[in-house]
């Protein structure tokens, strides 16, 4: 309908230049979330992606990423949705890294046909990490006896209230290696010959945008507006695609707000600290 109206509307009323829909993906990647503590996951971002790729007159979709990573499953689901929509709608995908696109954030970034970053952005961290806390001594000190009844000898594997077991750790590492291989294969598929043969690329290290360009992790250095105007013309317009809002007009989960850490106290202090630790790992 928009295309038809633009053709019948007098020229003086038409908007000139190409319009590029922009989707912002920001935050730690995990399921759940709320209007007070947004997180990045497929359920939250799917509506924005569908809306952006539905623009028939747009030659490309620009996606801004700012994420230290998180769930490999949600990262891969978002990656797959972007690629599926790009192929279905025949759209070019241009990714722009803000502060960081690391680990799961970089997994999403490789959905782009081209990836751009600032020279001071952080990219990479192609690896898998698991973390947690152990409390076996705490229970003993406060006089609490833990009672667990299971059917299945490995049902309480990696229980934080029991001492670590070598077999449990080895099993976890096996899972991590499998996930890491999937990640590596995805990067090789998408980046292909652009990747450097540097052996550290898949080691879990992360780099600045400048070094990431040398390693083939990204395609160029540049800011979104400048890059798009240079490519599609000086009259190119960037149109931000917003997320869904609730009855009160508040944005639903998907884009991380400035109040995320403070509001997180109500929904779990430990989880909030873990999210903050993920950002801090990259100096953010």
């Amino acid at each position: 309908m928009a295309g038809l109206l633009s053709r019948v509307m007098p020229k003086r009323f038409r908007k000139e230049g190409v319009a590029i829909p922009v989707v912002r993906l920001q935050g730690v990647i995990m399921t759940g979330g709320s209007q007070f503590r947004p997180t990045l996951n497929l359920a939250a971002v799917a509506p924005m992606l569908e809306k952006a790729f539905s623009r028939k007159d747009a030659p490309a979709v620009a996606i801004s990423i700012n994420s230290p990573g998180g769930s490999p499953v949600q990262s891969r689901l978002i990656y797959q949705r972007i690629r599926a929509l790009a192929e279905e709608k025949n759209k070019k995908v241009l990714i722009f890294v803000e502060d960081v696109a690391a680990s799961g954030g970089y997994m999403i970034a490789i959905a782009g046909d081209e990836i751009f970053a600032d020279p001071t952005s952080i990219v990479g961290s192609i690896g898998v990490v698991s973390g947690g806390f152990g409390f076996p001594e705490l229970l003993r000190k406060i006089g609490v006896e833990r009672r667990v009844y299971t059917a299945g000898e490995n049902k309480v594997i990696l229980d934080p209230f029991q001492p670590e077991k070598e077999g449990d750790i080895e099993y976890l590492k096996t899972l991590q290696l499998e996930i890491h291989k999937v990640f590596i294969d995805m990067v090789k598929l998408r980046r292909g010959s652009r990747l450097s043969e540097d052996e550290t690329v898949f080691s879990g290290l992360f780099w600045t945008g400048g070094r990431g360009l040398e390693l083939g992790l990204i395609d160029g250095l540049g800011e979104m507006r400048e890059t798009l105007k240079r490519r599609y013309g000086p009259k190119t317009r960037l149109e931000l695609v917003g997320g869904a809002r609730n009855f009160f007009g508040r944005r639903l989960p998907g884009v991380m707000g400035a109040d995320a850490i403070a509001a997180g106290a109500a929904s779990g202090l430990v989880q909030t600290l873990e999210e903050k630790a993920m950002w801090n790992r990259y100096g953010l």
Side-chain angles (χ1 to χ4, degrees), residues 230-259:
R230 186 168 59 247
R231 176 163 301 192
Y232 296 106
K235 294 185 178 180
T236 300
R237 306 188 311 278
L238 279 61
E239 298 184 353
L240 182 63
V241 178
R245 295 177 181 269
N246 64 15
F247 180 77
F248 300 101
R250 290 173 175 164
R251 194 175 302 283
L252 295 176
V255 178
M256 189 178 190
D259 62 343

Side-chain angles (χ1 to χ4, degrees), residues 24-26 28 30-48 242-246 250-257:
R24 297 193 72 241
L25 303 181
Q26 178 169 318
V28 175
M30 61 175 63
T31 57
S34 69
Q35 66 186 49
F36 300 108
R37 191 132 160 281
T39 55
L40 196 56
N41 53 63
L42 180 62
V45 306
M48 291 188 290
R245 295 177 181 269
N246 64 15
R250 290 173 175 164
R251 194 175 302 283
L252 295 176
V255 178
M256 189 178 190

Side-chain angles (χ1 to χ4, degrees), residues 112-135:
D113 296 297
E114 294 179 66
I115 305 173
F116 299 88
D118 187 85
T120 60
S121 297
I122 298 297
V123 297
S125 190
I126 302 169
V128 181
V129 62
S130 298
F133 300 91
F135 306 100

Side-chain angles (χ1 to χ4, degrees), residues 77-112:
L77 288 174
I78 295 172
Y79 160 88
Q80 290 177 317
R81 183 61 57 88
I82 293 172
R83 289 313 313 157
L85 287 169
E87 292 170 15
E88 176 187 337
K89 305 296 185 180
N90 193 27
K91 302 286 186 186
K92 195 174 185 67
V93 180
L94 302 176
I95 299 288
F96 294 87
V97 180
E98 293 188 0
D99 297 283
V100 58
S103 194
Y106 185 71
M107 183 183 286
I108 296 175
I110 60 175

Side-chain angles (χ1 to χ4, degrees), residues 37 264-273:
R37 191 132 160 281
S267 58
L269 178 60
V270 172
Q271 186 176 357
T272 302
L273 292 175

